[in-house]
Amino acid sequence: MDTAELLVRSIGGLVAVLGTVWVLVRVVKARQGATGTVPVARLRVVARASVGRRASVVSVDAGDRVLVVGVTDDGVRLLAEQPALPAPEPVVERIDLDPTPAAALVPDQRSGTSGSLVDPAVWRQVVGTVREWTVRR
């Protein structure tokens, strides 16, 4: 046998194997989609309280419901179920880092850096503001 013929047969065999694998993957994916698999809800433990040596009560957030379950060595039992409370809107507070009004910012005639990040006065003001926030009272 010639080397070229051996190479062509090897590549042909590899293509046949990869094609078969590709077809099998497509068939398996099609069958999984046809069975109607339901996505699993995400569970999140909200709180846990021990009520004995080997027993506890757990509050679980299960998407659109909140479940209260009892957990023991024997198993898990549903104690209560209620609809989930809507998430509170986050409170956003605007903090002004520069207490001076914008009209009071007059450009420095000596250098064109007044009010920019390279101006030392700006950094002193930032450090002073951060110190005010972190002071223990």
Side-chain angles (χ1 to χ4, degrees), residues 52-78:
R53 184 173 180 173
R54 296 182 181 201
S56 59
V57 176
V58 180
S59 175
V60 179
D61 182 9
D64 60 342
R65 298 180 295 169
V66 176
L67 308 174
V68 179
V69 294
V71 180
T72 63
D73 287 342
D74 298 331
V76 178
R77 287 191 183 182
L78 180 64

PDB file of all heavy atoms in Angstrom, residues 52-78:
ATOM      1  N   GLY A  52     -33.734  20.753  68.076  1.00  0.00           N
ATOM      2  CA  GLY A  52     -33.372  19.557  68.833  1.00  0.00           C
ATOM      3  C   GLY A  52     -31.995  19.101  68.419  1.00  0.00           C
ATOM      4  O   GLY A  52     -31.307  19.763  67.621  1.00  0.00           O
ATOM      5  N   ARG A  53     -31.591  17.972  68.981  1.00  0.00           N
ATOM      6  CA  ARG A  53     -30.251  17.486  68.698  1.00  0.00           C
ATOM      7  C   ARG A  53     -30.073  17.139  67.219  1.00  0.00           C
ATOM      8  O   ARG A  53     -29.038  17.424  66.633  1.00  0.00           O
ATOM      9  CB  ARG A  53     -29.969  16.272  69.568  1.00  0.00           C
ATOM     10  CG  ARG A  53     -28.585  15.759  69.416  1.00  0.00           C
ATOM     11  CD  ARG A  53     -28.288  14.678  70.400  1.00  0.00           C
ATOM     12  NE  ARG A  53     -26.927  14.231  70.190  1.00  0.00           N
ATOM     13  CZ  ARG A  53     -26.315  13.392  70.954  1.00  0.00           C
ATOM     14  NH1 ARG A  53     -26.931  12.907  72.015  1.00  0.00           N
ATOM     15  NH2 ARG A  53     -25.095  13.029  70.698  1.00  0.00           N
ATOM     16  N   ARG A  54     -31.076  16.513  66.627  1.00  0.00           N
ATOM     17  CA  ARG A  54     -30.964  16.092  65.230  1.00  0.00           C
ATOM     18  C   ARG A  54     -32.145  16.569  64.397  1.00  0.00           C
ATOM     19  O   ARG A  54     -32.526  15.918  63.429  1.00  0.00           O
ATOM     20  CB  ARG A  54     -30.865  14.583  65.157  1.00  0.00           C
ATOM     21  CG  ARG A  54     -29.619  14.066  65.809  1.00  0.00           C
ATOM     22  CD  ARG A  54     -29.528  12.587  65.674  1.00  0.00           C
ATOM     23  NE  ARG A  54     -28.332  12.111  66.336  1.00  0.00           N
ATOM     24  CZ  ARG A  54     -27.767  10.975  66.076  1.00  0.00           C
ATOM     25  NH1 ARG A  54     -28.286  10.182  65.177  1.00  0.00           N
ATOM     26  NH2 ARG A  54     -26.691  10.604  66.719  1.00  0.00           N
ATOM     27  N   ALA A  55     -32.735  17.687  64.767  1.00  0.00           N
ATOM     28  CA  ALA A  55     -33.888  18.214  64.035  1.00  0.00           C
ATOM     29  C   ALA A  55     -33.740  19.719  63.882  1.00  0.00           C
ATOM     30  O   ALA A  55     -33.203  20.393  64.753  1.00  0.00           O
ATOM     31  CB  ALA A  55     -35.183  17.887  64.766  1.00  0.00           C
ATOM     32  N   SER A  56     -34.204  20.222  62.754  1.00  0.00           N
ATOM     33  CA  SER A  56     -34.171  21.660  62.538  1.00  0.00           C
ATOM     34  C   SER A  56     -35.320  22.061  61.612  1.00  0.00           C
ATOM     35  O   SER A  56     -35.900  21.237  60.909  1.00  0.00           O
ATOM     36  CB  SER A  56     -32.828  22.083  61.927  1.00  0.00           C
ATOM     37  OG  SER A  56     -32.612  21.440  60.700  1.00  0.00           O
ATOM     38  N   VAL A  57     -35.632  23.333  61.659  1.00  0.00           N
ATOM     39  CA  VAL A  57     -36.648  23.912  60.793  1.00  0.00           C
ATOM     40  C   VAL A  57     -35.918  24.828  59.820  1.00  0.00           C
ATOM     41  O   VAL A  57     -35.085  25.643  60.227  1.00  0.00           O
ATOM     42  CB  VAL A  57     -37.694  24.706  61.606  1.00  0.00           C
ATOM     43  CG1 VAL A  57     -38.684  25.390  60.679  1.00  0.00           C
ATOM     44  CG2 VAL A  57     -38.408  23.794  62.571  1.00  0.00           C
ATOM     45  N   VAL A  58     -36.233  24.662  58.539  1.00  0.00           N
ATOM     46  CA  VAL A  58     -35.525  25.394  57.505  1.00  0.00           C
ATOM     47  C   VAL A  58     -36.533  26.145  56.646  1.00  0.00           C
ATOM     48  O   VAL A  58     -37.550  25.587  56.241  1.00  0.00           O
ATOM     49  CB  VAL A  58     -34.687  24.433  56.626  1.00  0.00           C
ATOM     50  CG1 VAL A  58     -33.949  25.199  55.554  1.00  0.00           C
ATOM     51  CG2 VAL A  58     -33.719  23.635  57.474  1.00  0.00           C
ATOM     52  N   SER A  59     -36.234  27.408  56.369  1.00  0.00           N
ATOM     53  CA  SER A  59     -37.031  28.206  55.444  1.00  0.00           C
ATOM     54  C   SER A  59     -36.292  28.221  54.101  1.00  0.00           C
ATOM     55  O   SER A  59     -35.130  28.609  54.033  1.00  0.00           O
ATOM     56  CB  SER A  59     -37.197  29.621  55.987  1.00  0.00           C
ATOM     57  OG  SER A  59     -37.866  30.420  55.053  1.00  0.00           O
ATOM     58  N   VAL A  60     -36.985  27.803  53.046  1.00  0.00           N
ATOM     59  CA  VAL A  60     -36.368  27.650  51.732  1.00  0.00           C
ATOM     60  C   VAL A  60     -37.102  28.522  50.723  1.00  0.00           C
ATOM     61  O   VAL A  60     -38.330  28.464  50.621  1.00  0.00           O
ATOM     62  CB  VAL A  60     -36.414  26.168  51.278  1.00  0.00           C
ATOM     63  CG1 VAL A  60     -35.802  26.010  49.903  1.00  0.00           C
ATOM     64  CG2 VAL A  60     -35.713  25.284  52.280  1.00  0.00           C
ATOM     65  N   ASP A  61     -36.347  29.316  49.972  1.00  0.00           N
ATOM     66  CA  ASP A  61     -36.916  30.116  48.889  1.00  0.00           C
ATOM     67  C   ASP A  61     -36.869  29.257  47.629  1.00  0.00           C
ATOM     68  O   ASP A  61     -35.795  28.880  47.166  1.00  0.00           O
ATOM     69  CB  ASP A  61     -36.099  31.394  48.706  1.00  0.00           C
ATOM     70  CG  ASP A  61     -36.664  32.302  47.640  1.00  0.00           C
ATOM     71  OD1 ASP A  61     -37.770  32.033  47.155  1.00  0.00           O
ATOM     72  OD2 ASP A  61     -35.982  33.286  47.292  1.00  0.00           O
ATOM     73  N   ALA A  62     -38.033  28.925  47.101  1.00  0.00           N
ATOM     74  CA  ALA A  62     -38.122  28.059  45.921  1.00  0.00           C
ATOM     75  C   ALA A  62     -38.753  28.824  44.766  1.00  0.00           C
ATOM     76  O   ALA A  62     -39.822  28.482  44.268  1.00  0.00           O
ATOM     77  CB  ALA A  62     -38.939  26.815  46.250  1.00  0.00           C
ATOM     78  N   GLY A  63     -38.123  29.875  44.339  1.00  0.00           N
ATOM     79  CA  GLY A  63     -38.630  30.659  43.215  1.00  0.00           C
ATOM     80  C   GLY A  63     -39.813  31.505  43.611  1.00  0.00           C
ATOM     81  O   GLY A  63     -39.676  32.542  44.246  1.00  0.00           O
ATOM     82  N   ASP A  64     -41.032  31.066  43.268  1.00  0.00           N
ATOM     83  CA  ASP A  64     -42.228  31.854  43.549  1.00  0.00           C
ATOM     84  C   ASP A  64     -42.904  31.452  44.853  1.00  0.00           C
ATOM     85  O   ASP A  64     -43.988  31.918  45.159  1.00  0.00           O
ATOM     86  CB  ASP A  64     -43.219  31.734  42.390  1.00  0.00           C
ATOM     87  CG  ASP A  64     -43.651  30.294  42.160  1.00  0.00           C
ATOM     88  OD1 ASP A  64     -42.953  29.388  42.648  1.00  0.00           O
ATOM     89  OD2 ASP A  64     -44.675  30.079  41.485  1.00  0.00           O
ATOM     90  N   ARG A  65     -42.268  30.574  45.638  1.00  0.00           N
ATOM     91  CA  ARG A  65     -42.837  30.127  46.911  1.00  0.00           C
ATOM     92  C   ARG A  65     -41.762  30.105  47.993  1.00  0.00           C
ATOM     93  O   ARG A  65     -40.584  29.984  47.702  1.00  0.00           O
ATOM     94  CB  ARG A  65     -43.414  28.714  46.784  1.00  0.00           C
ATOM     95  CG  ARG A  65     -44.539  28.613  45.805  1.00  0.00           C
ATOM     96  CD  ARG A  65     -45.053  27.222  45.713  1.00  0.00           C
ATOM     97  NE  ARG A  65     -43.987  26.368  45.163  1.00  0.00           N
ATOM     98  CZ  ARG A  65     -44.044  25.056  45.140  1.00  0.00           C
ATOM     99  NH1 ARG A  65     -45.066  24.427  45.641  1.00  0.00           N
ATOM    100  NH2 ARG A  65     -43.072  24.347  44.618  1.00  0.00           N
ATOM    101  N   VAL A  66     -42.214  30.212  49.229  1.00  0.00           N
ATOM    102  CA  VAL A  66     -41.344  30.039  50.387  1.00  0.00           C
ATOM    103  C   VAL A  66     -41.853  28.818  51.131  1.00  0.00           C
ATOM    104  O   VAL A  66     -43.024  28.741  51.494  1.00  0.00           O
ATOM    105  CB  VAL A  66     -41.352  31.281  51.303  1.00  0.00           C
ATOM    106  CG1 VAL A  66     -40.517  31.031  52.541  1.00  0.00           C
ATOM    107  CG2 VAL A  66     -40.828  32.494  50.553  1.00  0.00           C
ATOM    108  N   LEU A  67     -40.967  27.850  51.329  1.00  0.00           N
ATOM    109  CA  LEU A  67     -41.340  26.610  52.005  1.00  0.00           C
ATOM    110  C   LEU A  67     -40.690  26.568  53.384  1.00  0.00           C
ATOM    111  O   LEU A  67     -39.525  26.925  53.534  1.00  0.00           O
ATOM    112  CB  LEU A  67     -40.863  25.399  51.200  1.00  0.00           C
ATOM    113  CG  LEU A  67     -41.261  25.352  49.729  1.00  0.00           C
ATOM    114  CD1 LEU A  67     -40.591  24.181  49.042  1.00  0.00           C
ATOM    115  CD2 LEU A  67     -42.751  25.266  49.593  1.00  0.00           C
ATOM    116  N   VAL A  68     -41.455  26.137  54.374  1.00  0.00           N
ATOM    117  CA  VAL A  68     -40.908  25.890  55.707  1.00  0.00           C
ATOM    118  C   VAL A  68     -40.938  24.380  55.885  1.00  0.00           C
ATOM    119  O   VAL A  68     -42.003  23.755  55.830  1.00  0.00           O
ATOM    120  CB  VAL A  68     -41.733  26.597  56.799  1.00  0.00           C
ATOM    121  CG1 VAL A  68     -41.153  26.289  58.171  1.00  0.00           C
ATOM    122  CG2 VAL A  68     -41.750  28.096  56.552  1.00  0.00           C
ATOM    123  N   VAL A  69     -39.751  23.785  56.044  1.00  0.00           N
ATOM    124  CA  VAL A  69     -39.657  22.334  56.127  1.00  0.00           C
ATOM    125  C   VAL A  69     -38.978  21.934  57.425  1.00  0.00           C
ATOM    126  O   VAL A  69     -38.144  22.662  57.968  1.00  0.00           O
ATOM    127  CB  VAL A  69     -38.887  21.748  54.920  1.00  0.00           C
ATOM    128  CG1 VAL A  69     -39.642  21.956  53.632  1.00  0.00           C
ATOM    129  CG2 VAL A  69     -37.502  22.333  54.812  1.00  0.00           C
ATOM    130  N   GLY A  70     -39.362  20.770  57.922  1.00  0.00           N
ATOM    131  CA  GLY A  70     -38.716  20.181  59.075  1.00  0.00           C
ATOM    132  C   GLY A  70     -37.729  19.133  58.603  1.00  0.00           C
ATOM    133  O   GLY A  70     -38.064  18.285  57.776  1.00  0.00           O
ATOM    134  N   VAL A  71     -36.513  19.186  59.118  1.00  0.00           N
ATOM    135  CA  VAL A  71     -35.465  18.269  58.692  1.00  0.00           C
ATOM    136  C   VAL A  71     -35.032  17.435  59.888  1.00  0.00           C
ATOM    137  O   VAL A  71     -34.652  17.985  60.928  1.00  0.00           O
ATOM    138  CB  VAL A  71     -34.255  19.037  58.115  1.00  0.00           C
ATOM    139  CG1 VAL A  71     -33.168  18.078  57.676  1.00  0.00           C
ATOM    140  CG2 VAL A  71     -34.676  19.934  56.976  1.00  0.00           C
ATOM    141  N   THR A  72     -35.120  16.119  59.750  1.00  0.00           N
ATOM    142  CA  THR A  72     -34.668  15.193  60.785  1.00  0.00           C
ATOM    143  C   THR A  72     -33.826  14.110  60.121  1.00  0.00           C
ATOM    144  O   THR A  72     -33.646  14.109  58.905  1.00  0.00           O
ATOM    145  CB  THR A  72     -35.862  14.529  61.507  1.00  0.00           C
ATOM    146  OG1 THR A  72     -36.583  13.749  60.564  1.00  0.00           O
ATOM    147  CG2 THR A  72     -36.777  15.561  62.141  1.00  0.00           C
ATOM    148  N   ASP A  73     -33.328  13.169  60.933  1.00  0.00           N
ATOM    149  CA  ASP A  73     -32.581  12.046  60.371  1.00  0.00           C
ATOM    150  C   ASP A  73     -33.475  11.157  59.508  1.00  0.00           C
ATOM    151  O   ASP A  73     -33.008  10.501  58.582  1.00  0.00           O
ATOM    152  CB  ASP A  73     -31.966  11.207  61.486  1.00  0.00           C
ATOM    153  CG  ASP A  73     -30.792  11.911  62.146  1.00  0.00           C
ATOM    154  OD1 ASP A  73     -30.261  12.853  61.539  1.00  0.00           O
ATOM    155  OD2 ASP A  73     -30.414  11.511  63.264  1.00  0.00           O
ATOM    156  N   ASP A  74     -34.755  11.136  59.819  1.00  0.00           N
ATOM    157  CA  ASP A  74     -35.696  10.292  59.080  1.00  0.00           C
ATOM    158  C   ASP A  74     -36.074  10.871  57.722  1.00  0.00           C
ATOM    159  O   ASP A  74     -36.494  10.139  56.837  1.00  0.00           O
ATOM    160  CB  ASP A  74     -36.967  10.068  59.897  1.00  0.00           C
ATOM    161  CG  ASP A  74     -36.679   9.335  61.186  1.00  0.00           C
ATOM    162  OD1 ASP A  74     -35.708   8.557  61.202  1.00  0.00           O
ATOM    163  OD2 ASP A  74     -37.412   9.541  62.162  1.00  0.00           O
ATOM    164  N   GLY A  75     -35.996  12.174  57.567  1.00  0.00           N
ATOM    165  CA  GLY A  75     -36.362  12.770  56.291  1.00  0.00           C
ATOM    166  C   GLY A  75     -36.706  14.236  56.421  1.00  0.00           C
ATOM    167  O   GLY A  75     -36.403  14.893  57.408  1.00  0.00           O
ATOM    168  N   VAL A  76     -37.383  14.720  55.389  1.00  0.00           N
ATOM    169  CA  VAL A  76     -37.773  16.132  55.296  1.00  0.00           C
ATOM    170  C   VAL A  76     -39.290  16.179  55.144  1.00  0.00           C
ATOM    171  O   VAL A  76     -39.863  15.446  54.340  1.00  0.00           O
ATOM    172  CB  VAL A  76     -37.086  16.805  54.091  1.00  0.00           C
ATOM    173  CG1 VAL A  76     -37.530  18.251  53.956  1.00  0.00           C
ATOM    174  CG2 VAL A  76     -35.582  16.714  54.205  1.00  0.00           C
ATOM    175  N   ARG A  77     -39.950  17.052  55.921  1.00  0.00           N
ATOM    176  CA  ARG A  77     -41.410  17.199  55.837  1.00  0.00           C
ATOM    177  C   ARG A  77     -41.770  18.659  55.603  1.00  0.00           C
ATOM    178  O   ARG A  77     -41.178  19.555  56.207  1.00  0.00           O
ATOM    179  CB  ARG A  77     -42.069  16.750  57.127  1.00  0.00           C
ATOM    180  CG  ARG A  77     -42.055  15.279  57.316  1.00  0.00           C
ATOM    181  CD  ARG A  77     -42.938  14.908  58.442  1.00  0.00           C
ATOM    182  NE  ARG A  77     -42.864  13.466  58.656  1.00  0.00           N
ATOM    183  CZ  ARG A  77     -43.557  12.829  59.546  1.00  0.00           C
ATOM    184  NH1 ARG A  77     -44.379  13.483  60.328  1.00  0.00           N
ATOM    185  NH2 ARG A  77     -43.432  11.539  59.673  1.00  0.00           N
ATOM    186  N   LEU A  78     -42.744  18.870  54.766  1.00  0.00           N
ATOM    187  CA  LEU A  78     -43.242  20.210  54.503  1.00  0.00           C
ATOM    188  C   LEU A  78     -44.128  20.648  55.665  1.00  0.00           C
ATOM    189  O   LEU A  78     -45.111  19.985  55.996  1.00  0.00           O
ATOM    190  CB  LEU A  78     -44.037  20.243  53.197  1.00  0.00           C
ATOM    191  CG  LEU A  78     -44.627  21.589  52.808  1.00  0.00           C
ATOM    192  CD1 LEU A  78     -43.528  22.595  52.537  1.00  0.00           C
ATOM    193  CD2 LEU A  78     -45.506  21.424  51.577  1.00  0.00           C
TER     194      LEU A  78
END
